[in-house]
Amino acid sequence: MSFLKVIAIVVVLLFSTISYTAESGAFDNHCTYALSKGVYKKTDCSINEIYKGQKYCFALESSKDSFLLDSDNIITAAKTFYENKAEVPRVNISQADAVAQINSKSCDLSNRDAGYLIFNGMDLSHCNMQNVSFFGAELMGAKLKNANLRNAYLNLARIEEADFSGSDLSNATIFQPIFGNTSFKNANLTNARVIGTLGKVDMSGIDGRKGRFGLDIGNQPMGQMKFDSVGGNFEGANFEGADLNIAAFTFGNLRGANLRHTNLHRADLVSADLTGADLTGADLTDADVDNANFKDVIGLDTVKGFDKVKGQCNNCVAQLESKAAVKVSASNTSSQNKPGCTM
């Protein structure tokens, strides 16, 4: 092969490589792993992986590592979320126009960017606020009872004493707002993302199925951010299938809560009251259950990682021993009833 041919091949290969890596990643450069978890996170695609001829972008190396372990399922989940939950552009609205809307009978703040505006003490319960952005807005003491807040964005908002009871906050993002005696009683928080220091929040009776309340992996450079409540009311809450990893429910009321198939890995349940809660199929690996009340808990024998919990819970060991005794008794009865067995 001539020297000129070798040079030509090298140039072609180099050009091909440059052209290929310059291509945009899938999902408009959003982190593929974050999308699979129902979160939009734009990247510069400097961390990427070529998989089956397509470039996928990631916010963190750890996200890429997770992707490599289960690529096809993560891509499918990311595609489903990206195609079905594509963000609708929000239009800026002034304080005066927002107040005019609130004072009207047909208040419509849907798809509006009301960031940093002030709504303290106002009644917005009659407003359509689907896909509204209240980023950094002041909603202290505001009334939003039974309101439509689907896909709403409440990051860094002031929501002390605000009443969201009965409201529809499905798919909403509530990241690090300032909570304080905030009520979400009976609200719809399905697939919502809630991260922050909640204190004595009232989330009794909420529908939080498949909610994303666990540790926020995508923001580790900013420090550990999680769902953190001390003395909160979660009685009768439905968290089935929710991500509650590292969430803190210290001294919380979880009586009768549906915690079926939840991820409670490393969760803080110290002194929490779980009387009558359903823990069927939940993962409590490395959770701290010291002084937690497990009286009449359902499905305790199906809990994953219960042999690795920390601390001493109340009414849990006796329950497991009782269930084990029942199983042994049932097994013996079954054996005794087999043909040919003698008493």
Side-chain angles (χ1 to χ4, degrees):
M1 185 180 291
S2 69
F3 178 73
L4 290 176
K5 267 191 175 179
V6 171
I7 293 296
I9 290 171
V10 170
V11 170
V12 169
L13 288 174
L14 180 60
F15 181 80
S16 298
T17 303
I18 292 172
S19 298
Y20 189 76
T21 55
E23 290 178 359
S24 295
F27 310 120
D28 191 27
N29 285 6
H30 282 86
C31 175
T32 303
Y33 182 75
L35 287 173
S36 75
K37 299 299 181 183
V39 176
Y40 286 99
K41 192 165 189 65
K42 192 83 169 181
T43 76
D44 60 8
C45 213
S46 56
I47 303 173
N48 64 76
E49 178 68 23
I50 307 299
Y51 182 73
K52 294 183 179 179
Q54 175 65 62
K55 182 193 286 187
Y56 295 96
C57 309
F58 304 95
L60 298 168
E61 287 288 350
S62 58
S63 298
K64 176 181 172 180
D65 292 341
S66 297
F67 170 82
L68 293 174
L69 294 174
D70 194 16
S71 303
D72 290 330
N73 286 331
I74 287 175
I75 290 170
T76 298
K79 183 177 180 180
T80 299
F81 178 76
Y82 186 75
E83 291 180 351
N84 296 335
K85 309 291 182 184
E87 292 178 313
V88 176
R90 298 181 176 103
V91 179
N92 287 327
I93 188 171
S94 68
Q95 179 76 50
D97 288 341
V99 171
Q101 281 291 331
I102 293 169
N103 290 333
S104 69
K105 291 182 179 180
S106 57
C107 174
D108 188 358
L109 294 173
S110 61
N111 303 318
R112 296 293 190 274
D113 184 347
Y116 296 106
L117 301 187
I118 298 173
F119 304 99
N120 296 331
M122 295 185 186
D123 187 350
L124 291 79
S125 56
H126 62 298
C127 297
N128 177 13
M129 293 173 282
Q130 183 168 332
N131 196 46
V132 68
S133 172
F134 283 127
F135 183 93
E138 294 189 17
L139 291 154
M140 293 180 284
K143 299 175 179 63
L144 303 106
K145 190 173 182 179
N146 300 319
N148 177 6
L149 285 152
R150 291 194 298 273
N151 298 300
Y153 194 78
L154 288 148
N155 291 14
L156 304 180
R158 297 288 302 269
I159 56 175
E160 303 100 309
E161 306 287 344
D163 183 6
F164 292 91
S165 59
S167 61
D168 185 352
L169 284 153
S170 54
N171 297 301
T173 302
I174 309 173
F175 187 86
Q176 292 292 87
I178 302 178
F179 293 95
N181 295 319
T182 311
S183 176
F184 293 93
K185 186 175 182 178
N186 298 322
N188 179 1
L189 286 158
T190 54
N191 202 42
R193 176 174 177 252
V194 184
I195 300 289
T197 304
L198 289 78
K200 292 185 178 180
V201 68
D202 185 355
M203 285 192 171
S204 58
I206 67 162
D207 186 351
R209 288 173 296 169
K210 297 185 178 180
R212 293 161 286 135
F213 308 107
L215 177 68
D216 186 70
I217 298 173
N219 284 281
Q220 287 308 287
M222 298 173 65
Q224 192 176 92
M225 297 182 183
K226 61 181 182 179
F227 185 91
D228 190 353
S229 173
V230 177
N233 184 7
F234 305 94
E235 184 169 3
N238 184 357
F239 284 114
E240 184 162 359
D243 181 4
L244 294 161
N245 83 86
I246 314 187
F249 292 97
T250 316
F251 292 100
N253 176 7
L254 286 157
R255 295 173 68 92
N258 180 0
L259 297 164
R260 293 171 62 89
H261 307 294
T262 52
N263 177 10
L264 284 159
H265 176 72
R266 293 173 60 193
D268 182 349
L269 294 166
V270 174
S271 298
D273 186 358
L274 290 97
T275 301
D278 189 345
L279 282 165
T280 302
D283 184 355
L284 265 70
T285 304
D286 294 326
D288 193 341
V289 298
D290 196 45
N291 201 41
N293 187 3
F294 278 69
K295 183 179 179 181
D296 299 327
V297 163
I298 300 167
L300 194 57
D301 55 332
T302 70
V303 169
K304 301 171 187 174
F306 200 71
D307 58 330
K308 297 179 181 178
V309 297
K310 301 174 183 177
Q312 179 59 59
C313 48
N314 298 317
N315 301 304
C316 51
V317 176
Q319 273 198 81
L320 287 173
E321 290 176 346
S322 176
K323 288 180 182 295
V326 169
K327 284 183 178 180
V328 170
S329 176
S331 177
N332 289 340
T333 301
S334 177
S335 297
Q336 291 167 3
N337 290 334
K338 286 182 180 178
C341 288
T342 58
M343 295 297 288

